[in-house]
Amino acid sequence: MAKSMALIESGTVVNMLWCSDSEPETDTIINPADRPVGIGDIYSNGKFYRDGVEILTPLEEALKKNAEYEAALSEIEEALGV
Amino acid sequence: MSIAVPLYGFGASGGSPNKSTIIVTAPTGSTVACTMGSTMKTAPEKNGVWTFGGLDLGTWTITSTKGGDSATQDVVISRLTVEYVTIVYRITPEFTYTGDYEIVDDSDNAISDFANWKSNWKIRFLTSGTFTVTKLNGWNGQLDVFLVGGAGTPTAGASGVWYVSYGGDTATLHNVSVLAGESYNIAIGAHGSANEQGGATTAFGTTCSGGSAGGRDAHNNIPNRVKEFAGDTDSDALYGGYYPAVNVNAPDNSGSGVVSDNSQSWPFGGSGIVIARNARRAA
């Protein structure tokens, strides 16, 4: 088995490498896990960004949307006095 | 290989009567000895041939060395005979690689005993790592190298409409010189994430770009898949281009793009590969 890892230079993803499952992370080779990272994305403080927006895993994305729906629902309920 | 020639009742090669002889062929300039227990026989070289006569019954050990190469072979003498022994030093390199790899023959069958392999060979570098030849042995240090970049991955398609990603670029190098003790970094391009380009593959000073994410009906512009080394092996494996099955991931290390016509998900392209083989052309 193998995994994709991001090669980082000056805070930017410059290549996506196909690496052994046992390949450890270093300062320049980072495992993005399930995040759909691509060449040109930004890496800063342990997080990946594209167009200024953090790149999340599918699960993190779903949880984020769920939280947004709940917040919107709360606003509606408050407006309706429910 | 040894060939026993029985000499019933005759002396061997003009040596002592009732004694046997071992005739060794080895690379010229070798140091060859023939021993059994504490008995050591020596013989001068004559154009790559050493003749050890006057040997008693028993198991004799032939040792041959030349520079850093060496070989040992036992010869059992159970009757009056002349035995012929041909010494061939190891012709495959010893190496380390920090990533995943496999050693195969030209038809992609695994080679389980590389140390004693006497024919053509290939190393398939499957994941990124560092390659170091620790000992050339009888190999001339020349490689042919085939590289494939990682394939792109398309976005989710639409029913009945193909969204196709591009395979990685390919390149073939001949007679690449490798030095013992020197480390060579090999980067294998990963397949792209959804709607993303694949990673680039780099080895021995050459880079093959990853394929793009492509787009709707992009297959009309994508080159066909190719065989390694321009088809100059017995392997039928295909690389680059696009894998012509709909909504199926391309095989790992194929560097092939993929086809999506599913609006909910997408298949992934294939990661890249580097294949190195003992050079087949005169330098």
Side-chain angles (χ1 to χ4, degrees):
Chain A
M1 290 295 292
K3 62 188 177 186
S4 295
M5 298 185 80
L7 178 63
I8 311 295
E9 286 182 9
S10 303
T12 301
V13 178
V14 296
N15 200 7
M16 294 299 296
L17 300 176
W18 194 238
C19 297
S20 169
D21 266 345
S22 59
E23 185 76 31
E25 283 190 323
T26 66
D27 289 344
T28 56
I29 300 179
I30 304 296
N31 184 358
D34 291 335
R35 294 172 183 83
V37 170
I39 296 170
D41 290 336
I42 301 299
Y43 181 73
S44 176
N45 295 321
K47 295 180 178 180
F48 291 95
Y49 298 89
R50 182 177 302 163
D51 300 328
V53 179
E54 184 183 354
I55 300 172
L56 304 174
T57 67
L59 177 59
E60 289 170 338
E61 196 71 53
L63 291 173
K64 181 184 173 189
K65 283 187 176 174
N66 195 45
E68 289 171 353
Y69 290 146
E70 286 185 354
L73 186 59
S74 294
E75 283 184 23
I76 292 170
E77 288 174 344
E78 194 172 318
L80 294 175
V82 178
Chain B
M1 174 190 295
S2 65
I3 302 171
V5 180
L7 297 174
Y8 302 109
F10 296 93
S13 298
S16 306
N18 302 317
K19 299 282 187 174
S20 291
T21 298
I22 297 175
I23 298 175
V24 178
T25 301
T28 189
S30 296
T31 299
V32 181
C34 178
T35 59
M36 183 168 65
S38 59
T39 302
M40 172 181 281
K41 299 279 188 178
T42 58
E45 176 190 352
K46 291 182 180 175
N47 299 321
V49 176
W50 289 254
T51 302
F52 299 95
L55 305 180
D56 292 324
L57 301 182
T59 300
W60 291 86
T61 299
I62 306 296
T63 57
S64 180
T65 59
K66 182 180 181 182
D69 296 327
S70 64
T72 300
Q73 184 170 332
D74 287 342
V75 181
V76 177
I77 303 289
S78 59
R79 61 188 178 186
L80 187 61
T81 185
V82 175
E83 292 277 350
Y84 291 86
V85 174
T86 300
I87 299 293
V88 178
Y89 297 122
R90 176 172 175 159
I91 61 171
T92 54
E94 294 168 55
F95 67 89
T96 61
Y97 188 60
T98 59
D100 300 328
Y101 68 95
E102 54 191 24
I103 306 172
V104 297
D105 64 16
D106 271 1
S107 298
D108 291 338
N109 299 307
I111 296 173
S112 58
D113 187 5
F114 192 50
N116 290 310
W117 187 254
K118 305 299 184 192
S119 188
N120 288 325
W121 47 267
K122 299 186 295 188
I123 304 170
R124 291 165 48 86
F125 298 102
L126 306 176
T127 61
S128 305
T130 301
F131 174 63
T132 307
V133 173
T134 54
K135 204 171 178 185
L136 292 169
N137 295 318
W139 176 51
N140 65 1
Q142 298 283 303
L143 288 173
D144 293 337
V145 183
F146 177 70
L147 304 89
V148 186
T153 291
T155 185
S159 182
V161 178
W162 279 16
Y163 281 72
V164 186
S165 63
Y166 280 69
D169 288 351
T170 65
T172 300
L173 314 174
H174 289 287
N175 298 111
V176 175
S177 293
V178 171
L179 300 176
E182 189 156 323
S183 294
Y184 301 88
N185 291 324
I186 295 178
I188 304 295
H191 60 69
S193 302
N195 203 23
E196 288 292 335
Q197 176 185 3
T201 292
T202 300
F204 304 108
T206 296
T207 295
C208 284
S209 298
S212 77
R216 180 172 175 164
D217 292 331
H219 60 292
N220 293 323
N221 301 317
I222 296 177
N224 290 330
R225 292 179 294 167
V226 298
K227 289 186 177 183
E228 64 190 37
F229 302 107
D232 184 23
T233 73
D234 295 329
S235 173
D236 290 325
L238 295 171
Y239 301 91
Y242 75 95
Y243 192 63
V246 180
N247 298 323
V248 175
N249 292 341
D252 286 347
N253 302 116
S254 67
S256 295
V258 287
V259 181
S260 168
D261 77 346
N262 186 320
S263 61
Q264 301 300 313
S265 63
W266 52 86
F268 286 105
S271 51
I273 192 170
V274 171
I275 303 172
R277 67 180 189 181
N278 59 307
R280 308 296 164 82
R281 294 180 181 175

